[in-house]
Amino acid sequence: MTLTSYLLGIIGALLVIAVVVELLRRGSLRERHAVWWLIAGLLALIAAIFPGAVVWVAGLIGIEVPINLVFFVSIAILFLVCLQLSAEVTRLESKTRTLAERVALIELEVRKSRSHDTADDEGSPTRGPAQTGSARTAGRAPARSSGRDRPTGTGEEGS
Amino acid sequence: MDSTPRRLLVVIPAFNEQASVADVVAEVFSKLPGASVLVVDDGSSDGTADEARRAGATVAVLPFNLGVGGAMRTGFRYALENGFEVAVQIDADGQHDPAGVPALVAGLDTADLVLGARFAGEGDYVSRGPRRWAMVVLAWFLSRMLRTKLTDTTSGFKASGPRAIRLFASHYPAEYLGDTIEALVIAARSGLVVRQVPSAMRPRAGGTPSHNVFKSAAYLSRAGLALLFASIRPASTYRIEGTA
């Protein structure tokens, strides 16, 4: 192994760690997603600094060609990350589903109360921002005269 | 908010059904006086929501397509929040006859969930070939699981009582086949009582059921998977909210 390839390994591993840490720092990567990448980076760094360690561990488990250990661990980590992401997508899907259902029902309520407002409270000029609830029912029948020209369908809450 | 007693809610999941939804809504209103109708527009790109609204239904519009399961869970949640005691699912394609609803609702006296079954004597629905076999196998499994005789497990024509509404408002599955097979497994695991009553079905307005062997095999294996995973999910998944 030349010095260049030795340094290349270390620089590559440091780069991975630096990128992960930077993403974490900026908040564009959450800790639980970063864990595997950090582990991968640290393992790569150890293997780069002490190539003998890989050979030693490979011999310990009985892997004849040490590089196969590197491949095995890399693939295992990538596999775990993929699995984690799939699980995350599933969770997100079920959350969006719940949100979509809620939105549909809230929209329904909004539409209903809006049509109630335009049908019942059309032109009740006494209603101010502070008056809610009881004022809504109290100020319903009288004062039909003014406010007729107001466009229907718009929210009157802010007036 | 009016405070009139509202018991029966008819939920109609609809995806691009602008041609038939208004007729179905009108038919429900004429045959089931006193029932409320909620059409859940499952992200349609056509005028389904407007048609349903014009026909007098309450319409909940999902922002994108979720499948029947998502639409139905919206319906169950609406039923729960608005104090309905019975929720009946009717398809928007006119396949289910609203005249059969009282029979389903009557079945709820002794059960939490009542299925309207197509093969149980009434009606002229015929299914043949591999798809039929697949359905028989499924029916056999689910019958054992629910300790009742079921012949048509994929029926969309269902009535849910208060307990079922409470369960399904939080646990109605959205996956393919989830709204039929998995929902039954969930019901079984939560201790709901399920029954079926015979009910007539009209031929579907569009689309013919396939009789392809491979499609039926795929259907059965997907259904089997849905069944399996629903059975081995942790028990805490299906706890009914608000009960011990």
Side-chain angles (χ1 to χ4, degrees):
Chain A
M1 188 191 286
T2 63
L3 182 68
T4 327
S5 66
Y6 182 72
L7 287 179
L8 195 70
I10 294 176
I11 290 170
L14 285 176
L15 207 66
V16 169
I17 294 172
V19 168
V20 174
V21 169
E22 177 62 15
L23 284 176
L24 272 173
R25 202 176 64 86
R26 287 196 206 159
S28 38
L29 191 63
R30 281 187 64 179
E31 283 82 353
R32 60 180 166 150
H33 293 125
V35 169
W36 289 112
W37 295 124
L38 275 179
I39 290 176
L42 286 174
L43 284 178
L45 189 63
I46 292 169
I49 298 176
F50 312 107
V54 178
V55 179
W56 178 69
V57 175
L60 216 63
I61 324 174
I63 298 174
E64 284 184 26
V65 187
I67 191 70
N68 281 342
L69 177 66
V70 176
F71 289 143
F72 173 73
V73 173
S74 312
I75 292 171
I77 287 178
L78 289 179
F79 176 81
L80 285 174
V81 170
C82 273
L83 211 57
Q84 188 190 28
L85 290 180
S86 303
E88 194 73 9
V89 168
T90 305
R91 262 197 298 272
L92 289 174
E93 264 178 1
S94 89
K95 281 182 188 169
T96 23
R97 179 194 164 198
T98 307
L99 280 178
E101 291 170 8
R102 282 251 63 94
V103 165
L105 290 180
I106 289 170
E107 210 173 46
L108 174 64
E109 287 301 320
V110 168
R111 185 181 270 270
K112 210 188 276 175
S113 63
R114 194 175 281 171
S115 66
H116 265 258
D117 280 356
T118 50
D120 300 342
D121 302 335
E122 191 181 51
S124 52
T126 49
R127 204 146 65 87
Q131 296 166 299
T132 52
S134 58
R136 177 176 296 216
T137 44
R140 185 175 286 177
R144 276 268 164 199
S145 52
S146 67
R148 264 286 151 89
D149 48 347
R150 196 180 298 171
T152 55
T154 55
E156 299 171 10
E157 311 296 336
S159 60
Chain B
M1 285 281 139
D2 47 324
S3 55
T4 48
R6 291 163 297 181
R7 267 184 51 90
L8 174 63
L9 176 71
V10 174
V11 182
I12 306 178
F15 176 55
N16 290 342
E17 302 272 11
Q18 65 173 2
S20 56
V21 72
D23 292 340
V24 174
V25 171
E27 195 182 2
V28 170
F29 276 131
S30 71
K31 289 188 180 171
L32 300 168
S36 301
V37 177
L38 175 73
V39 171
V40 184
D41 177 3
D42 192 9
S44 299
S45 53
D46 64 358
T48 299
D50 291 333
E51 286 296 320
R53 235 172 247 135
R54 205 165 298 142
T58 307
V59 180
V61 184
L62 289 168
F64 43 84
N65 186 262
L66 288 179
V68 180
M72 281 312 296
R73 193 168 76 170
T74 312
F76 286 123
R77 201 156 278 178
Y78 181 86
L80 186 66
E81 286 169 7
N82 293 277
F84 288 98
E85 291 162 87
V86 178
V88 176
Q89 175 184 351
I90 288 184
D91 284 355
D93 59 4
Q95 192 188 2
H96 304 143
D97 188 349
V101 170
L104 290 189
V105 175
L108 285 176
D109 292 340
T110 53
D112 297 303
L113 178 66
V114 177
L115 309 181
R118 282 166 285 192
F119 311 122
E122 209 172 306
D124 46 9
Y125 184 96
V126 207
S127 175
R128 283 167 284 108
R131 193 176 175 87
R132 169 84 225 230
W133 307 332
M135 288 170 120
V136 167
V137 172
L138 281 178
W140 182 80
F141 264 109
L142 285 164
S143 298
R144 288 195 49 151
M145 192 173 258
L146 289 156
R147 293 188 203 86
T148 178
K149 190 171 158 28
L150 301 178
T151 51
D152 181 15
T153 52
T154 53
S155 170
F157 198 30
K158 283 185 275 211
S160 307
R163 265 170 28 107
I165 289 175
R166 218 175 318 134
L167 172 70
F168 289 147
S170 36
H171 298 303
Y172 211 64
E175 268 95 296
Y176 175 69
L177 291 173
D179 63 298
T180 51
I181 288 151
E182 198 179 338
L184 286 176
V185 179
I186 293 172
R189 296 197 55 192
S190 303
L192 297 193
V193 180
V194 180
R195 276 188 54 195
Q196 80 170 22
V197 298
S199 79
M201 301 269 165
R202 293 181 284 223
R204 280 202 295 192
T208 50
S210 76
H211 294 115
N212 182 308
V213 182
F214 296 104
K215 277 188 184 161
S216 299
Y219 172 84
L220 185 60
S221 42
R222 288 184 78 168
L225 270 184
L227 228 165
L228 176 70
F229 284 112
S231 311
I232 61 178
R233 221 154 261 163
S236 58
T237 317
Y238 300 135
R239 195 165 296 143
I240 304 179
E241 280 165 35
T243 54

